[in-house]
Amino acid sequence: MTFEEMTRGLAEFVRDHQMWAMPVVFALAFAESLAFLSLIIPAWGALVSIGALIGVSGISFWPVWVAAGLGAALGDWVSYWIGVRFHDRIAHMWPMSSFPDMLPRAERFMKKWGVLGIFIGRFSGPLRATVPLVAGIVEMEYWHFQFANFTSAFLWAGLLMAPGMFGVKLLM
């Protein structure tokens, strides 16, 4: 199954079974934000497609936005915890061992940008899941991380879901 088929299938499922919109969006946002899993499951396109359904299908924006924000924040929170727990051993674990330059680049990025890096990373596909992981590795202040994590997660979720809220129709 191609990425486009998966995206279309998930959007059609949510359109046909609207009561599943929140759990599906939560799971997709979690997968998109969790270190390692985000490399395997590209959920961004499905989230945008489901967001586009909001205006045309009668799905309520606010619960779906909250589900996406919480899923994204929880994914980053778990990634941060993995970084704190496993520190430098992460570089030798799959899949990071397959991308030896990814963690050093993310670490340089975090040292340069600090808490603002959490916001920047949230909106950059390649950095989205590695920045929270590295924030844990470099032991960023927990509450600073969580503030940036939750505020950026809800902003990111709002932008993904905004096409539906404003009635913008995307072709699927």
Side-chain angles (χ1 to χ4, degrees), residues 29 32-33 69 71-77 117-125 127-128 131-132 145 148-157:
E32 180 69 19
S33 299
L74 183 60
D76 275 9
W77 194 344
I118 302 300
F119 284 91
I120 296 168
R122 173 78 65 193
F123 294 93
S124 171
L127 296 174
R128 186 173 299 118
V131 166
F145 170 78
N149 175 29
F150 275 86
T151 54
S152 67
F154 280 91
L155 180 59
W156 177 78

Side-chain angles (χ1 to χ4, degrees), residues 16-27:
D16 295 341
H17 307 282
Q18 293 181 11
M19 68 241 173
W20 283 97
M22 289 185 342
V24 168
V25 166
F26 177 89

Side-chain angles (χ1 to χ4, degrees), residues 77 80 115 118 139-151:
W77 194 344
Y80 175 86
V115 171
I118 302 300
E139 298 180 359
M140 176 183 278
E141 174 76 35
Y142 178 79
W143 291 111
H144 292 171
F145 170 78
Q146 290 300 3
F147 172 76
N149 175 29
F150 275 86
T151 54

Side-chain angles (χ1 to χ4, degrees), residues 7-8 11-12 15 49-50 52-53 170-172:
T7 298
R8 182 171 287 124
E12 289 172 359
R15 184 191 64 222
S49 295
I50 292 169
L53 288 175
L170 300 177
L171 297 175
M172 293 194 302

